[in-house]
Amino acid sequence: MSSRTPFIAGNWKMHKTVAEAEQFIAGLLPRVYSADAVDVAICVPFTALQAMVDSTRGSRVEVFAQTMHEAAKGAFTGEVSAPMLSELDVHGVVLGHSERRQYFGETDKALAQKVLVALDAGLKPILCVGETEDERERGDTERKLRHQVQEGLERLSPEQITEITIAYEPIWAIGTGKVATPEQAQDAVAFVRALIKDKAPEAAPVARVLYGGSVSPDNAAELLALPDVDGALVGGASLDPESFGKIVDAAVHIAAS
Ligand code: PEP
């Protein structure tokens, strides 16, 4: 792991009622109480945002939304805007998760605007990028990552790029139990950092790049120890405070070593 502060973010997807979220956070807070060297976030459904913001106030756990619309307001039934999230004291937002791209038609063009709007509203964006299994087999991983990173950062100034987190999430590894090998993860994350450097050399040493895709307490230490990996975006294993806490612990140990 690098000198950047490690960042472990749990993406709950469409899981947990408010009551279940409260139960989770009661279990997590004592586990991460002394994880000073690590930034921790939970990315929760809209319905649990307010409750989680209230229950984590004063703790080291930040609360992120899982998506947002790029417009501030308007006739977009079912959508939520950046000012609506900021008003709740939400800290950040996941943008371009592969499930949003695949099932809800989220485009690179819209994402370029969303990243800008999130930063303008004081929200920390986690921009997700990654290739399908077919793309990897065809040797198209770098082409795909180049396209997604360049489009995602297109509208940002170099100063804004320093504030962004990119999560490299190979789509074939999300929710499949099929984790990338350390070599695959390191190569792709280093490539993403090189793309950041092309666009904003001063941002490359600062912007964080995470790995996501079937991270678990069993494989976290190995992945988090990779030189370019600054943390993890965790899906399934973030639903249980014990397993999520163990992943945070792995980051704490590596940061201390
Ligand atoms: C994710 O939802 O971003 C993710 C990586 O899921 P999982 O850890 O379950 O593969």
Side-chain angles (χ1 to χ4, degrees):
M1 202 182 273
S2 68
S3 57
R4 293 169 288 276
T5 303
F7 183 22
I8 306 296
N11 174 23
W12 290 358
K13 315 191 189 204
M14 196 173 71
H15 290 284
K16 296 197 190 294
T17 61
V18 172
E20 289 164 345
E22 293 289 13
Q23 205 179 353
F24 171 95
I25 205 67
L28 183 71
L29 288 180
R31 287 172 205 275
V32 299
Y33 179 72
S34 56
D36 292 337
V38 177
D39 290 339
V40 180
I42 49 173
C43 313
V44 313
F46 289 135
T47 46
L49 283 172
Q50 182 71 72
M52 290 302 95
V53 166
D54 291 343
S55 295
T56 55
R57 225 179 274 282
S59 82
R60 55 175 317 91
V61 177
E62 296 196 329
V63 177
F64 281 44
Q66 298 174 7
T67 183
M68 59 164 229
H69 197 276
E70 61 273 30
K73 58 183 168 182
F76 302 107
T77 302
E79 292 290 315
V80 165
S81 71
M84 293 171 181
L85 297 176
S86 307
E87 186 189 31
L88 299 185
D89 286 343
V90 165
H91 297 91
V93 58
V94 179
L95 294 173
H97 191 281
S98 64
E99 288 151 16
R100 298 293 316 170
R101 294 176 187 262
Q102 185 181 350
Y103 304 132
F104 303 100
E106 200 152 86
T107 62
D108 287 316
K109 188 164 176 284
L111 284 164
Q113 184 66 11
K114 289 183 192 212
V115 173
L116 181 66
V117 165
L119 287 167
D120 282 346
L123 296 165
K124 303 174 189 177
I126 301 177
L127 174 66
C128 300
V129 298
E131 81 288 1
T132 63
E133 191 150 40
D134 276 358
E135 287 164 340
R136 176 160 284 273
E137 278 167 9
R138 286 202 308 266
D140 274 346
T141 299
E142 293 195 349
R143 187 191 58 75
K144 177 76 172 289
L145 295 179
R146 184 180 299 109
H147 178 77
Q148 290 183 324
V149 173
Q150 286 177 348
E151 290 263 324
L153 303 185
E154 194 187 300
R155 292 165 171 244
L156 304 186
S157 67
E159 299 73 49
Q160 287 173 314
I161 296 175
T162 62
E163 292 173 51
I164 197 163
T165 297
I166 296 185
Y168 165 64
E169 297 209 302
I171 295 167
W172 47 270
I174 297 179
T176 58
K178 212 164 137 184
V179 67
T181 65
E183 192 186 0
Q184 287 170 330
Q186 167 58 27
D187 286 354
V189 168
F191 183 69
V192 169
R193 189 170 307 287
L195 294 169
I196 297 172
K197 193 172 176 192
D198 284 347
K199 172 91 180 149
E202 60 274 56
V206 184
R208 290 185 290 197
V209 186
L210 314 182
Y211 168 79
S214 296
V215 174
S216 72
D218 293 337
N219 59 32
E222 188 177 31
L223 291 162
L224 295 173
L226 296 169
D228 274 283
V229 171
D230 298 323
L233 183 55
V234 184
S238 75
L239 292 172
D240 171 54
E242 188 179 341
S243 64
F244 190 57
K246 283 182 181 165
I247 295 169
V248 174
D249 281 349
V252 170
H253 285 127
I254 290 162
S257 63

